[in-house]
Amino acid sequence: MTRTLEVDLGDRSYPIHIGPGLLHDPVLYRPHIRGRQVMIVTNETVAPLYLAPLRAALDGLEVCEVVLPDGEQYKTLEVWNRIFDALLDARFARDCTLIALGGGVVGDMAGFAAACYQRGVAFIQVPTTLLSQVDSSVGGKTGINHPAGKNMIGAFHQPLAVIADTETLDTLPQRELSAGLAEVLKYGLIRDPAFLDWLESHMAELLSRDPEALAHAIRRSCEIKAQIVAEDELESGQRALLNLGHTFGHAIETASGYGNWLHGEAVGAGMCMAADLSARMGWLAEADVERVRRLVTCAGLPTEPPPELDAERFRELMAVDKKVLDGRLRLVLLTAVGEAVISDEIDQDQLTATLSARRP
Ligand code: NAD
Ligand code: MG
């Protein structure tokens, strides 16, 4: 059942292992650990579930851990600094390895710490949420939030391996599972109409955590992400397609306070807004907008931004987004279901209409 994909980045290429029971397989870790010192970065929810089996897999090494508080609201400079406190307390050297055990928050923070500690140390991702298995653990984006904007401080730092144990999803809350499905839908929407068809007909299995269905969705998502990252590692072009729904979504997340809307929920609503704007600009058929909204709804996600977030505030928040170049807003829009483009030629009146619209 285990599948291994490769992110092709020349001498920084790395494997993504996907399958059940991988978390406690020592063989997967050993090739990537050079020194003897390993720091596991995790959080207070994941630690009681999975820290012991991971520690067992690392038997014989000098293993320490840092357990962070749980939540997007803790993805801050202050909490991030605790990782360095732990590394320095334990006198970790440059040949140490950081392992992120948890969802995207832990992965982004641990990865960014690995990018910075002694100017860069080895790093392994052990993602335990659907969202982190299909998205955040792959591709090397790491970082933390600033009160003024999400992920505003960070670095590119590729892991040496991604070990995605699909059995860890058994303990994931249903709301988090749905949030992960937002990113899965995203891959179908930007690149793969056939995958989108498959998702449409297997949504019930995915929501009930059928292991085969989940494994397929994770593999296909990682394949698409790995391909896009290999083509454009530092996001000078096509990688930005992965931000479908994210500029709207980040504004929703910032406006509602980190942690109130899950990232995937905001992306779900954001993708519906991107579809809406695409249709208003004449690029996408109205029937396709409805199809996107139906898929997002079936995945258990919201299709509308919060009612109190008006167009003016939306614009302010979107202007902070990293996708703004030379003061021009760039958005990912759909030209068909399964095909997306990056555009900075946004019709401002249509954008206002999308930002103010609330469909029934
Ligand atoms: P998360 O890390 O907050 O995890 C969601 C919740 O599930 C948390 O409460 C966590 O403790 C809990 N959890 C994790 N694994 C569990 C398990 N197996 N069983 C039970 N509970 C478990 O959220 P997320 O959705 O994984 O990640 C969102 C973050 O990822 C955001 O900060 C977002 O910005 C970031 N992100 C980064 C990238 C990237 O390319 N670096 C891409 C997408 C998202
Ligand atoms: Mg995302």
Side-chain angles (χ1 to χ4, degrees), residues 171-287:
T171 53
L172 198 65
Q174 197 65 20
R175 197 179 157 197
E176 298 289 351
L177 191 81
S178 285
L181 288 173
E183 304 281 9
V184 175
L185 287 175
K186 177 187 79 179
Y187 294 113
L189 286 170
I190 60 172
R191 262 262 165 142
D192 191 345
F195 183 42
L196 204 74
D197 292 345
W198 182 90
L199 289 168
E200 214 156 34
S201 52
H202 291 79
M203 196 51 85
E205 283 103 312
L206 291 168
L207 286 168
S208 64
R209 304 180 200 217
D210 174 78
E212 285 293 333
L214 275 176
H216 176 75
I218 295 166
R219 280 197 298 265
R220 186 66 197 125
S221 299
C222 285
E223 272 168 13
I224 295 174
K225 177 138 190 195
Q227 204 176 43
I228 293 178
V229 167
E231 288 162 14
D232 176 22
E233 184 184 4
L234 303 180
E235 199 170 307
S236 37
Q238 294 298 297
R239 182 165 178 171
L241 291 175
L242 294 170
N243 297 322
L244 174 69
H246 280 62
T247 304
F248 298 112
H250 284 166
I252 295 171
E253 284 180 87
T254 307
S256 342
Y258 296 132
N260 291 317
W261 276 61
L262 299 182
H263 176 72
E265 292 170 342
V267 168
M271 291 191 300
C272 293
M273 295 178 77
D276 178 89
L277 180 56
S278 308
R280 286 176 198 273
M281 287 176 55
W283 297 4
L284 187 71
E286 186 59 31

Side-chain angles (χ1 to χ4, degrees), residues 107-127:
D108 279 10
M109 293 175 85
F112 187 33
C116 296
Y117 187 62
Q118 304 204 12
R119 300 194 182 82
V121 298
F123 169 49
I124 296 172
Q125 288 270 20
V126 184

Side-chain angles (χ1 to χ4, degrees), residues 5 21 31 33 38 52 67 81 97 106 120 123 162 172 175 193 219 224 234 258 262 267 274 286 318 342 345 359:
L5 313 172
I33 295 174
V38 177
V67 181
N81 192 42
T97 302
V106 161
F123 169 49
V162 179
L172 198 65
R175 197 179 157 197
R219 280 197 298 265
I224 295 174
L234 303 180
Y258 296 132
L262 299 182
V267 168
E286 186 59 31
M318 287 168 61
I342 304 153
E345 289 173 8
R359 296 191 181 216

